[in-house]
Amino acid sequence: MRENKKRQEALQNLVCSVAVLTWSMDMEMSSAILHETSEKYGEDLVTKLMNELLPALNGEPASPDVLSTAAMLAFARPLSHKWSMTKN
């Protein structure tokens, strides 16, 4: 797998992990995402990316790929617990 694609996919998984933790407080699911990402892409890459991502989520400067991926959290919102695809 090309390094850039590997980095982007791992970064997206980490943003998903943060979103799950932030929106639903589901530490088990967030932890599972982190674990699977570490197994697939390696702990070194995951640690490096988390060290880049967390400051970016706090508004600190970051590389363009980290900023654009972290920005996904600003645009995505969890659905209401009452949300349904079907109408009553």
Side-chain angles (χ1 to χ4, degrees), residues 1-10 65:
M1 187 180 294
R2 290 183 25 212
E3 289 304 310
N4 192 37
K5 183 175 181 183
K6 185 176 175 180
R7 175 183 166 88
Q8 193 61 39
E9 288 180 6
D65 66 332

Side-chain angles (χ1 to χ4, degrees), residues 57-69:
L57 293 175
N58 288 315
E60 296 176 25
S63 64
D65 66 332
V66 171
L67 286 176
S68 64
T69 305

Side-chain angles (χ1 to χ4, degrees), residues 3 5 7 15-16 21 27 32 37 41 44 46-47 49 51 54-55 57-58 60 67 69 72 75:
E3 289 304 310
K5 183 175 181 183
R7 175 183 166 88
V15 168
C16 289
L21 186 60
M27 293 185 76
T37 303
Y41 300 104
D44 290 341
V46 169
T47 300
L49 289 174
N51 286 330
L54 294 177
L57 293 175
N58 288 315
E60 296 176 25
L67 286 176
T69 305
M72 291 179 197
F75 294 105

Side-chain angles (χ1 to χ4, degrees), residues 31-88:
S31 177
I33 294 169
L34 284 173
H35 178 73
E36 292 292 321
T37 303
S38 291
E39 283 190 343
K40 184 172 182 179
Y41 300 104
E43 285 189 34
D44 290 341
L45 179 61
V46 169
T47 300
K48 179 182 181 291
L49 289 174
M50 282 301 276
N51 286 330
E52 291 182 49
L53 179 61
L54 294 177
L57 293 175
N58 288 315
E60 296 176 25
S63 64
D65 66 332
V66 171
L67 286 176
S68 64
T69 305
M72 291 179 197
L73 286 174
F75 294 105
R77 296 281 182 248
L79 296 172
S80 163
H81 293 290
K82 296 179 182 179
W83 181 84
S84 173
M85 290 182 63
T86 60
K87 293 187 177 199
N88 295 332

